Coordinates of all heavy atoms in Angstrom, one line a residue:
A116 N 96.7 88.9 86.4 CA 95.3 88.5 86.5 C 95.1 87.2 87.3 O 94.2 87.1 88.2 CB 94.6 88.4 85.2
S117 N 96.0 86.3 87.0 CA 95.9 85.0 87.8 C 96.3 85.2 89.2 O 95.7 84.5 90.1 CB 96.8 83.9 87.1 OG 98.2 84.2 87.3
I118 N 97.2 86.1 89.5 CA 97.6 86.4 90.9 C 96.4 87.0 91.6 O 96.1 86.7 92.8 CB 98.9 87.3 91.0 CG1 100.1 86.5 90.5 CG2 99.1 87.8 92.4 CD1 101.3 87.4 90.3
A119 N 95.7 87.9 90.9 CA 94.6 88.6 91.5 C 93.5 87.6 92.0 O 92.9 87.8 93.0 CB 93.9 89.6 90.5
D120 N 93.4 86.5 91.2 CA 92.4 85.5 91.6 C 92.8 84.8 92.9 O 91.9 84.1 93.5 CB 92.3 84.4 90.5 CG 91.6 85.0 89.2 OD1 90.8 86.0 89.4 OD2 91.8 84.5 88.1
T121 N 94.0 84.8 93.3 CA 94.4 84.1 94.5 C 94.3 84.9 95.8 O 94.4 84.4 96.9 CB 95.9 83.6 94.4 OG1 96.8 84.8 94.4 CG2 96.1 82.8 93.1
I122 N 94.1 86.2 95.6 CA 94.0 87.1 96.8 C 92.7 87.0 97.5 O 91.6 87.1 96.9 CB 94.2 88.6 96.4 CG1 95.6 88.8 95.7 CG2 94.2 89.5 97.7 CD1 95.8 90.1 95.1
S123 N 92.7 86.7 98.8 CA 91.5 86.5 99.5 C 90.8 87.8 99.9 O 91.4 88.8 100.3 CB 91.7 85.6 100.8 OG 92.2 86.4 101.8
D124 N 89.4 87.7 99.9 CA 88.6 88.9 100.4 C 89.0 89.2 101.9 O 89.0 90.3 102.3 CB 87.1 88.6 100.3 CG 86.7 88.6 98.8 OD1 87.4 89.3 98.0 OD2 85.7 88.0 98.5
E125 N 89.2 88.1 102.7 CA 89.5 88.3 104.1 C 90.8 89.2 104.3 O 90.8 90.1 105.1 CB 89.7 87.0 104.8 CG 89.9 87.1 106.2 CD 90.1 85.7 106.9 OE1 89.9 84.7 106.2 OE2 90.3 85.7 108.1
E126 N 91.8 88.8 103.5 CA 93.1 89.6 103.5 C 92.8 91.1 103.1 O 93.3 92.0 103.8 CB 94.1 89.0 102.6 CG 94.6 87.7 103.1 CD 95.5 87.0 102.0 OE1 95.8 87.6 101.0 OE2 95.9 85.8 102.3
V127 N 92.1 91.3 102.0 CA 91.8 92.6 101.5 C 91.0 93.4 102.6 O 91.3 94.6 102.9 CB 91.1 92.6 100.2 CG1 90.6 94.0 99.8 CG2 92.0 92.0 99.1
N128 N 90.0 92.8 103.1 CA 89.1 93.5 104.1 C 89.9 93.9 105.3 O 89.7 94.9 105.9 CB 87.9 92.7 104.4 CG 86.9 92.6 103.2 OD1 86.9 93.5 102.3 ND2 86.1 91.5 103.2
G129 N 90.8 93.0 105.8 CA 91.6 93.2 106.9 C 92.5 94.4 106.7 O 92.7 95.3 107.6
F130 N 93.1 94.5 105.5 CA 94.0 95.6 105.1 C 93.2 96.9 105.1 O 93.7 97.9 105.6 CB 94.6 95.2 103.8 CG 95.6 96.2 103.3 CD1 96.7 96.6 104.1 CD2 95.5 96.8 102.0 CE1 97.7 97.5 103.6 CE2 96.5 97.8 101.6 CZ 97.5 98.1 102.4
L131 N 92.1 96.9 104.4 CA 91.3 98.1 104.3 C 90.9 98.6 105.7 O 90.9 99.8 106.0 CB 90.0 97.8 103.5 CG 90.2 97.7 102.0 CD1 89.0 97.1 101.4 CD2 90.5 99.1 101.4
D132 N 90.5 97.7 106.6 CA 90.1 98.0 108.0 C 91.2 98.7 108.7 O 91.0 99.7 109.4 CB 89.7 96.7 108.7 CG 89.0 97.1 110.0 OD1 88.0 97.8 110.1 OD2 89.5 96.5 111.1
L133 N 92.5 98.2 108.6 CA 93.6 98.8 109.2 C 93.8 100.2 108.7 O 94.1 101.1 109.5 CB 94.9 98.0 109.0 CG 95.2 96.8 109.9 CD1 96.6 96.2 109.6 CD2 95.2 97.2 111.4
L134 N 93.8 100.4 107.4 CA 94.0 101.7 106.8 C 92.9 102.7 107.3 O 93.2 103.8 107.7 CB 93.9 101.6 105.3 CG 95.0 100.8 104.6 CD1 94.8 100.8 103.1 CD2 96.4 101.3 105.0
L135 N 91.7 102.3 107.4 CA 90.6 103.2 107.7 C 90.6 103.6 109.2 O 90.1 104.6 109.6 CB 89.2 102.6 107.4 CG 88.9 102.5 105.9 CD1 87.7 101.6 105.6 CD2 88.7 103.9 105.3
K136 N 91.2 102.7 110.0 CA 91.2 103.0 111.5 C 92.5 103.6 111.9 O 92.6 104.1 113.1 CB 91.0 101.6 112.3 CG 89.6 101.1 112.2 CD 89.5 99.8 112.9 CE 88.1 99.3 112.9 NZ 88.0 97.9 113.5
A137 N 93.5 103.7 111.0 CA 94.8 104.3 111.4 C 94.7 105.8 111.6 O 94.0 106.5 110.9 CB 95.8 104.0 110.3
D138 N 95.5 106.2 112.6 CA 95.7 107.7 112.8 C 96.5 108.2 111.6 O 96.1 109.2 111.0 CB 96.4 108.0 114.1 CG 95.6 107.7 115.3 OD1 94.3 107.6 115.2 OD2 96.2 107.5 116.4
R139 N 97.6 107.5 111.3 CA 98.4 107.9 110.2 C 98.9 106.6 109.6 O 99.1 105.6 110.2 CB 99.6 108.7 110.6 CG 99.2 110.1 111.2 CD 100.4 110.9 111.8 NE 101.0 110.2 112.8 CZ 102.0 110.7 113.6 NH1 102.5 111.9 113.3 NH2 102.6 110.0 114.5
I140 N 99.3 106.7 108.3 CA 99.7 105.5 107.5 C 101.2 105.8 107.0 O 101.4 106.8 106.4 CB 98.8 105.2 106.3 CG1 97.4 105.0 106.8 CG2 99.3 104.0 105.5 CD1 96.4 105.1 105.7
Y141 N 102.1 104.9 107.4 CA 103.5 105.0 107.0 C 103.7 103.8 106.0 O 103.2 102.7 106.2 CB 104.4 104.8 108.2 CG 104.4 105.9 109.2 CD1 103.2 106.2 109.9 CD2 105.5 106.7 109.4 CE1 103.2 107.3 110.8 CE2 105.5 107.8 110.3 CZ 104.4 108.1 111.0 OH 104.3 109.1 111.8

């Protein structure tokens, strides 16, 4: 739970954006 508090929204949104735009995910 304390680790979750350190994760930035910017990192998460960037990750989600890559996944949604990918042709395929490896």
